[in-house]
Amino acid sequence: VFNVARFSLHDGPGIRTVIFLKGCPLSCAWCHNPEGMGVAAEVFFRSSDCVACGRCALVCPRAIGQPVAPRPDTSCPLGCQACVAACPSGAREAVGLRRSVAELLAIAEADRAFYDVSGGGVTLSGGEPLAQAEFSTEFLAACGRAGLHRAAETSGFATKETFLAFAEQVDLLLFDVKFMDPDAHKTWVGVDNEPILRNLRIAAAMGKAIRLRRPLIPGVNDSDEEMRSLAGLALELNEIRLLTMAGFPGGNSDKNPGEAGIGVDLLPYHSYAEDKYDKRGKAYQFKGLRPPDDSGIADSAGILSSRAVDVRIGG
Ligand code: SF4
Ligand code: SF4
């Protein structure tokens, strides 16, 4: 787990606790959560905060016994995080802690009163929850038994069997569709979109509540053709859902507040992640890219809404 955000208003209905899991099989060039890319525990390092005291090297198993202490880099292969407590300046930050299902459930249940008054619940995010599919499914099942509404922010990139087990434990899927064009998907995201679209159709056939999410990257995936294609997908999924939801095993839960049809959330690109890449010691391909302007966002939204797709800006 690399973060837990309480009182979130942007990751599903009502007030929510959002749990961010490490690990992602995708490699989106614009990823705004680089701390969620790798599944292992990491240490981020901000060189501007380092006072060169050398204390990290005294506790680091990589440094002990070495004639010259290794540079305190951020892509540490061991990830023991011993250096974090030793660092007096806060230059080293632990990213990724192990948590059990019971521990996470206790965190989630602490805000039950707020969920009850707002129609909120728990949202599993990342990284990609399906990168730790067994744990995610188990945690979501535990939330279900506890009567908590469950949302998941996912790319849906998994085998059919893994996705089915996961989706059965989710009340609302916030499903990323980064590209409709298969070649562009492979180029910018690093994997085929075929399993993603297959699992999306499976979720629709299960009668799941779904919002499609499109991070809107200017000049990359916001073309008119992409928007028309995305609108076509939303309409197709609504048709599948309406035609097949009755009687499908693991079908729609009765805990899907206000999610009548499958619409699209447009998530305009922002540059907040640049600092995180610096701390991780990674190059950021989109450094300096400006967010889309209002008219560009409105054009994209207009193409979707002109085809009767429910569209929202942000999510
Ligand atoms: S995480 Fe552990 S192994 Fe890695 S730099 Fe820190 S102390 Fe050394
Ligand atoms: S302990 Fe912290 S401040 Fe000291 S050298 Fe290591 S990273 Fe820099």
Side-chain angles (χ1 to χ4, degrees), residues 47-66:
S47 58
S48 59
D49 290 346
C50 175
V51 296
C53 67
R55 289 188 194 175
C56 53
L58 294 177
V59 298
C60 174
R62 294 165 68 206
I64 291 167
Q66 299 294 319

mmCIF file with all atom_site columns, all heavy atoms in Angstrom, residues 47-66:
data_model
loop_
_atom_site.group_PDB
_atom_site.id
_atom_site.type_symbol
_atom_site.label_atom_id
_atom_site.label_alt_id
_atom_site.label_comp_id
_atom_site.label_asym_id
_atom_site.label_entity_id
_atom_site.label_seq_id
_atom_site.pdbx_PDB_ins_code
_atom_site.Cartn_x
_atom_site.Cartn_y
_atom_site.Cartn_z
_atom_site.occupancy
_atom_site.B_iso_or_equiv
_atom_site.pdbx_formal_charge
_atom_site.auth_seq_id
_atom_site.auth_comp_id
_atom_site.auth_asym_id
_atom_site.auth_atom_id
_atom_site.pdbx_PDB_model_num
ATOM 1   N N   . SER A 1 47 ? 17.221 15.031 -3.302 1.00 0.00 ? 47 SER A N   1
ATOM 2   C CA  . SER A 1 47 ? 18.615 15.442 -3.088 1.00 0.00 ? 47 SER A CA  1
ATOM 3   C C   . SER A 1 47 ? 18.705 16.843 -2.475 1.00 0.00 ? 47 SER A C   1
ATOM 4   O O   . SER A 1 47 ? 19.620 17.125 -1.689 1.00 0.00 ? 47 SER A O   1
ATOM 5   C CB  . SER A 1 47 ? 19.394 15.389 -4.398 1.00 0.00 ? 47 SER A CB  1
ATOM 6   O OG  . SER A 1 47 ? 18.786 16.221 -5.349 1.00 0.00 ? 47 SER A OG  1
ATOM 7   N N   . SER A 1 48 ? 17.713 17.680 -2.770 1.00 0.00 ? 48 SER A N   1
ATOM 8   C CA  . SER A 1 48 ? 17.781 19.050 -2.242 1.00 0.00 ? 48 SER A CA  1
ATOM 9   C C   . SER A 1 48 ? 17.617 19.083 -0.715 1.00 0.00 ? 48 SER A C   1
ATOM 10  O O   . SER A 1 48 ? 17.996 20.067 -0.070 1.00 0.00 ? 48 SER A O   1
ATOM 11  C CB  . SER A 1 48 ? 16.707 19.927 -2.894 1.00 0.00 ? 48 SER A CB  1
ATOM 12  O OG  . SER A 1 48 ? 15.438 19.380 -2.649 1.00 0.00 ? 48 SER A OG  1
ATOM 13  N N   . ASP A 1 49 ? 17.047 18.026 -0.118 1.00 0.00 ? 49 ASP A N   1
ATOM 14  C CA  . ASP A 1 49 ? 16.882 17.972 1.345  1.00 0.00 ? 49 ASP A CA  1
ATOM 15  C C   . ASP A 1 49 ? 18.020 17.236 2.048  1.00 0.00 ? 49 ASP A C   1
ATOM 16  O O   . ASP A 1 49 ? 18.041 17.149 3.277  1.00 0.00 ? 49 ASP A O   1
ATOM 17  C CB  . ASP A 1 49 ? 15.553 17.281 1.704  1.00 0.00 ? 49 ASP A CB  1
ATOM 18  C CG  . ASP A 1 49 ? 14.352 18.135 1.329  1.00 0.00 ? 49 ASP A CG  1
ATOM 19  O OD1 . ASP A 1 49 ? 14.554 19.328 1.052  1.00 0.00 ? 49 ASP A OD1 1
ATOM 20  O OD2 . ASP A 1 49 ? 13.236 17.594 1.297  1.00 0.00 ? 49 ASP A OD2 1
ATOM 21  N N   . CYS A 1 50 ? 18.916 16.653 1.300  1.00 0.00 ? 50 CYS A N   1
ATOM 22  C CA  . CYS A 1 50 ? 19.996 15.850 1.885  1.00 0.00 ? 50 CYS A CA  1
ATOM 23  C C   . CYS A 1 50 ? 21.098 16.762 2.435  1.00 0.00 ? 50 CYS A C   1
ATOM 24  O O   . CYS A 1 50 ? 21.576 17.652 1.740  1.00 0.00 ? 50 CYS A O   1
ATOM 25  C CB  . CYS A 1 50 ? 20.562 14.908 0.831  1.00 0.00 ? 50 CYS A CB  1
ATOM 26  S SG  . CYS A 1 50 ? 21.984 13.971 1.405  1.00 0.00 ? 50 CYS A SG  1
ATOM 27  N N   . VAL A 1 51 ? 21.479 16.507 3.707  1.00 0.00 ? 51 VAL A N   1
ATOM 28  C CA  . VAL A 1 51 ? 22.536 17.322 4.322  1.00 0.00 ? 51 VAL A CA  1
ATOM 29  C C   . VAL A 1 51 ? 23.859 16.551 4.369  1.00 0.00 ? 51 VAL A C   1
ATOM 30  O O   . VAL A 1 51 ? 24.795 16.954 5.068  1.00 0.00 ? 51 VAL A O   1
ATOM 31  C CB  . VAL A 1 51 ? 22.130 17.786 5.744  1.00 0.00 ? 51 VAL A CB  1
ATOM 32  C CG1 . VAL A 1 51 ? 20.927 18.704 5.684  1.00 0.00 ? 51 VAL A CG1 1
ATOM 33  C CG2 . VAL A 1 51 ? 21.843 16.575 6.657  1.00 0.00 ? 51 VAL A CG2 1
ATOM 34  N N   . ALA A 1 52 ? 23.920 15.453 3.650  1.00 0.00 ? 52 ALA A N   1
ATOM 35  C CA  . ALA A 1 52 ? 25.159 14.676 3.482  1.00 0.00 ? 52 ALA A CA  1
ATOM 36  C C   . ALA A 1 52 ? 25.773 14.234 4.819  1.00 0.00 ? 52 ALA A C   1
ATOM 37  O O   . ALA A 1 52 ? 26.987 14.236 4.979  1.00 0.00 ? 52 ALA A O   1
ATOM 38  C CB  . ALA A 1 52 ? 26.171 15.468 2.660  1.00 0.00 ? 52 ALA A CB  1
ATOM 39  N N   . CYS A 1 53 ? 24.905 13.829 5.765  1.00 0.00 ? 53 CYS A N   1
ATOM 40  C CA  . CYS A 1 53 ? 25.416 13.411 7.077  1.00 0.00 ? 53 CYS A CA  1
ATOM 41  C C   . CYS A 1 53 ? 25.956 11.982 7.056  1.00 0.00 ? 53 CYS A C   1
ATOM 42  O O   . CYS A 1 53 ? 26.679 11.567 7.961  1.00 0.00 ? 53 CYS A O   1
ATOM 43  C CB  . CYS A 1 53 ? 24.312 13.526 8.122  1.00 0.00 ? 53 CYS A CB  1
ATOM 44  S SG  . CYS A 1 53 ? 22.979 12.338 7.847  1.00 0.00 ? 53 CYS A SG  1
ATOM 45  N N   . GLY A 1 54 ? 25.540 11.196 6.070  1.00 0.00 ? 54 GLY A N   1
ATOM 46  C CA  . GLY A 1 54 ? 26.045 9.827  5.938  1.00 0.00 ? 54 GLY A CA  1
ATOM 47  C C   . GLY A 1 54 ? 25.350 8.803  6.823  1.00 0.00 ? 54 GLY A C   1
ATOM 48  O O   . GLY A 1 54 ? 25.738 7.639  6.841  1.00 0.00 ? 54 GLY A O   1
ATOM 49  N N   . ARG A 1 55 ? 24.323 9.208  7.579  1.00 0.00 ? 55 ARG A N   1
ATOM 50  C CA  . ARG A 1 55 ? 23.692 8.248  8.506  1.00 0.00 ? 55 ARG A CA  1
ATOM 51  C C   . ARG A 1 55 ? 22.992 7.106  7.765  1.00 0.00 ? 55 ARG A C   1
ATOM 52  O O   . ARG A 1 55 ? 22.906 5.990  8.275  1.00 0.00 ? 55 ARG A O   1
ATOM 53  C CB  . ARG A 1 55 ? 22.693 8.982  9.398  1.00 0.00 ? 55 ARG A CB  1
ATOM 54  C CG  . ARG A 1 55 ? 23.385 9.878  10.401 1.00 0.00 ? 55 ARG A CG  1
ATOM 55  C CD  . ARG A 1 55 ? 22.417 10.459 11.401 1.00 0.00 ? 55 ARG A CD  1
ATOM 56  N NE  . ARG A 1 55 ? 23.057 11.548 12.123 1.00 0.00 ? 55 ARG A NE  1
ATOM 57  C CZ  . ARG A 1 55 ? 22.449 12.318 12.999 1.00 0.00 ? 55 ARG A CZ  1
ATOM 58  N NH1 . ARG A 1 55 ? 21.172 12.140 13.261 1.00 0.00 ? 55 ARG A NH1 1
ATOM 59  N NH2 . ARG A 1 55 ? 23.095 13.286 13.611 1.00 0.00 ? 55 ARG A NH2 1
ATOM 60  N N   . CYS A 1 56 ? 22.476 7.383  6.594  1.00 0.00 ? 56 CYS A N   1
ATOM 61  C CA  . CYS A 1 56 ? 21.801 6.321  5.841  1.00 0.00 ? 56 CYS A CA  1
ATOM 62  C C   . CYS A 1 56 ? 22.778 5.195  5.508  1.00 0.00 ? 56 CYS A C   1
ATOM 63  O O   . CYS A 1 56 ? 22.432 4.014  5.581  1.00 0.00 ? 56 CYS A O   1
ATOM 64  C CB  . CYS A 1 56 ? 21.160 6.875  4.575  1.00 0.00 ? 56 CYS A CB  1
ATOM 65  S SG  . CYS A 1 56 ? 22.269 7.817  3.521  1.00 0.00 ? 56 CYS A SG  1
ATOM 66  N N   . ALA A 1 57 ? 24.007 5.554  5.219  1.00 0.00 ? 57 ALA A N   1
ATOM 67  C CA  . ALA A 1 57 ? 25.000 4.541  4.856  1.00 0.00 ? 57 ALA A CA  1
ATOM 68  C C   . ALA A 1 57 ? 25.373 3.661  6.049  1.00 0.00 ? 57 ALA A C   1
ATOM 69  O O   . ALA A 1 57 ? 25.771 2.508  5.878  1.00 0.00 ? 57 ALA A O   1
ATOM 70  C CB  . ALA A 1 57 ? 26.243 5.218  4.286  1.00 0.00 ? 57 ALA A CB  1
ATOM 71  N N   . LEU A 1 58 ? 25.206 4.203  7.264  1.00 0.00 ? 58 LEU A N   1
ATOM 72  C CA  . LEU A 1 58 ? 25.556 3.412  8.453  1.00 0.00 ? 58 LEU A CA  1
ATOM 73  C C   . LEU A 1 58 ? 24.589 2.253  8.671  1.00 0.00 ? 58 LEU A C   1
ATOM 74  O O   . LEU A 1 58 ? 24.929 1.243  9.284  1.00 0.00 ? 58 LEU A O   1
ATOM 75  C CB  . LEU A 1 58 ? 25.559 4.312  9.704  1.00 0.00 ? 58 LEU A CB  1
ATOM 76  C CG  . LEU A 1 58 ? 26.641 5.403  9.742  1.00 0.00 ? 58 LEU A CG  1
ATOM 77  C CD1 . LEU A 1 58 ? 26.476 6.264  10.993 1.00 0.00 ? 58 LEU A CD1 1
ATOM 78  C CD2 . LEU A 1 58 ? 28.032 4.782  9.721  1.00 0.00 ? 58 LEU A CD2 1
ATOM 79  N N   . VAL A 1 59 ? 23.352 2.400  8.208  1.00 0.00 ? 59 VAL A N   1
ATOM 80  C CA  . VAL A 1 59 ? 22.349 1.344  8.442  1.00 0.00 ? 59 VAL A CA  1
ATOM 81  C C   . VAL A 1 59 ? 22.027 0.550  7.177  1.00 0.00 ? 59 VAL A C   1
ATOM 82  O O   . VAL A 1 59 ? 21.343 -0.475 7.243  1.00 0.00 ? 59 VAL A O   1
ATOM 83  C CB  . VAL A 1 59 ? 21.033 1.942  9.000  1.00 0.00 ? 59 VAL A CB  1
ATOM 84  C CG1 . VAL A 1 59 ? 21.273 2.605  10.350 1.00 0.00 ? 59 VAL A CG1 1
ATOM 85  C CG2 . VAL A 1 59 ? 20.417 2.930  8.016  1.00 0.00 ? 59 VAL A CG2 1
ATOM 86  N N   . CYS A 1 60 ? 22.502 1.022  6.059  1.00 0.00 ? 60 CYS A N   1
ATOM 87  C CA  . CYS A 1 60 ? 22.112 0.401  4.786  1.00 0.00 ? 60 CYS A CA  1
ATOM 88  C C   . CYS A 1 60 ? 22.874 -0.901 4.560  1.00 0.00 ? 60 CYS A C   1
ATOM 89  O O   . CYS A 1 60 ? 24.104 -0.910 4.534  1.00 0.00 ? 60 CYS A O   1
ATOM 90  C CB  . CYS A 1 60 ? 22.401 1.367  3.645  1.00 0.00 ? 60 CYS A CB  1
ATOM 91  S SG  . CYS A 1 60 ? 22.120 0.616  2.025  1.00 0.00 ? 60 CYS A SG  1
ATOM 92  N N   . PRO A 1 61 ? 22.134 -2.021 4.384  1.00 0.00 ? 61 PRO A N   1
ATOM 93  C CA  . PRO A 1 61 ? 22.841 -3.291 4.143  1.00 0.00 ? 61 PRO A CA  1
ATOM 94  C C   . PRO A 1 61 ? 23.657 -3.277 2.850  1.00 0.00 ? 61 PRO A C   1
ATOM 95  O O   . PRO A 1 61 ? 24.572 -4.068 2.706  1.00 0.00 ? 61 PRO A O   1
ATOM 96  C CB  . PRO A 1 61 ? 21.708 -4.320 4.082  1.00 0.00 ? 61 PRO A CB  1
ATOM 97  C CG  . PRO A 1 61 ? 20.448 -3.565 3.957  1.00 0.00 ? 61 PRO A CG  1
ATOM 98  C CD  . PRO A 1 61 ? 20.686 -2.183 4.450  1.00 0.00 ? 61 PRO A CD  1
ATOM 99  N N   . ARG A 1 62 ? 23.328 -2.391 1.952  1.00 0.00 ? 62 ARG A N   1
ATOM 100 C CA  . ARG A 1 62 ? 24.117 -2.310 0.713  1.00 0.00 ? 62 ARG A CA  1
ATOM 101 C C   . ARG A 1 62 ? 25.439 -1.596 0.960  1.00 0.00 ? 62 ARG A C   1
ATOM 102 O O   . ARG A 1 62 ? 26.407 -1.786 0.226  1.00 0.00 ? 62 ARG A O   1
ATOM 103 C CB  . ARG A 1 62 ? 23.341 -1.536 -0.361 1.00 0.00 ? 62 ARG A CB  1
ATOM 104 C CG  . ARG A 1 62 ? 22.083 -2.225 -0.830 1.00 0.00 ? 62 ARG A CG  1
ATOM 105 C CD  . ARG A 1 62 ? 21.206 -1.254 -1.588 1.00 0.00 ? 62 ARG A CD  1
ATOM 106 N NE  . ARG A 1 62 ? 21.790 -0.847 -2.846 1.00 0.00 ? 62 ARG A NE  1
ATOM 107 C CZ  . ARG A 1 62 ? 21.524 0.295  -3.459 1.00 0.00 ? 62 ARG A CZ  1
ATOM 108 N NH1 . ARG A 1 62 ? 20.697 1.159  -2.920 1.00 0.00 ? 62 ARG A NH1 1
ATOM 109 N NH2 . ARG A 1 62 ? 22.082 0.585  -4.603 1.00 0.00 ? 62 ARG A NH2 1
ATOM 110 N N   . ALA A 1 63 ? 25.452 -0.742 1.987  1.00 0.00 ? 63 ALA A N   1
ATOM 111 C CA  . ALA A 1 63 ? 26.639 0.079  2.213  1.00 0.00 ? 63 ALA A CA  1
ATOM 112 C C   . ALA A 1 63 ? 27.599 -0.528 3.208  1.00 0.00 ? 63 ALA A C   1
ATOM 113 O O   . ALA A 1 63 ? 28.812 -0.334 3.119  1.00 0.00 ? 63 ALA A O   1
ATOM 114 C CB  . ALA A 1 63 ? 26.213 1.464  2.708  1.00 0.00 ? 63 ALA A CB  1
ATOM 115 N N   . ILE A 1 64 ? 27.027 -1.313 4.176  1.00 0.00 ? 64 ILE A N   1
ATOM 116 C CA  . ILE A 1 64 ? 27.870 -1.853 5.252  1.00 0.00 ? 64 ILE A CA  1
ATOM 117 C C   . ILE A 1 64 ? 28.956 -2.757 4.651  1.00 0.00 ? 64 ILE A C   1
ATOM 118 O O   . ILE A 1 64 ? 28.677 -3.623 3.829  1.00 0.00 ? 64 ILE A O   1
ATOM 119 C CB  . ILE A 1 64 ? 27.001 -2.618 6.273  1.00 0.00 ? 64 ILE A CB  1
ATOM 120 C CG1 . ILE A 1 64 ? 26.123 -1.612 7.024  1.00 0.00 ? 64 ILE A CG1 1
ATOM 121 C CG2 . ILE A 1 64 ? 27.863 -3.415 7.249  1.00 0.00 ? 64 ILE A CG2 1
ATOM 122 C CD1 . ILE A 1 64 ? 25.012 -2.212 7.834  1.00 0.00 ? 64 ILE A CD1 1
ATOM 123 N N   . GLY A 1 65 ? 30.186 -2.510 5.023  1.00 0.00 ? 65 GLY A N   1
ATOM 124 C CA  . GLY A 1 65 ? 31.311 -3.311 4.531  1.00 0.00 ? 65 GLY A CA  1
ATOM 125 C C   . GLY A 1 65 ? 31.862 -2.840 3.209  1.00 0.00 ? 65 GLY A C   1
ATOM 126 O O   . GLY A 1 65 ? 32.863 -3.359 2.725  1.00 0.00 ? 65 GLY A O   1
ATOM 127 N N   . GLN A 1 66 ? 31.226 -1.847 2.609  1.00 0.00 ? 66 GLN A N   1
ATOM 128 C CA  . GLN A 1 66 ? 31.724 -1.321 1.335  1.00 0.00 ? 66 GLN A CA  1
ATOM 129 C C   . GLN A 1 66 ? 32.743 -0.212 1.603  1.00 0.00 ? 66 GLN A C   1
ATOM 130 O O   . GLN A 1 66 ? 32.537 0.599  2.522  1.00 0.00 ? 66 GLN A O   1
ATOM 131 C CB  . GLN A 1 66 ? 30.569 -0.728 0.509  1.00 0.00 ? 66 GLN A CB  1
ATOM 132 C CG  . GLN A 1 66 ? 29.487 -1.715 0.137  1.00 0.00 ? 66 GLN A CG  1
ATOM 133 C CD  . GLN A 1 66 ? 29.986 -2.791 -0.810 1.00 0.00 ? 66 GLN A CD  1
ATOM 134 O OE1 . GLN A 1 66 ? 30.736 -2.511 -1.732 1.00 0.00 ? 66 GLN A OE1 1
ATOM 135 N NE2 . GLN A 1 66 ? 29.608 -4.031 -0.540 1.00 0.00 ? 66 GLN A NE2 1
#
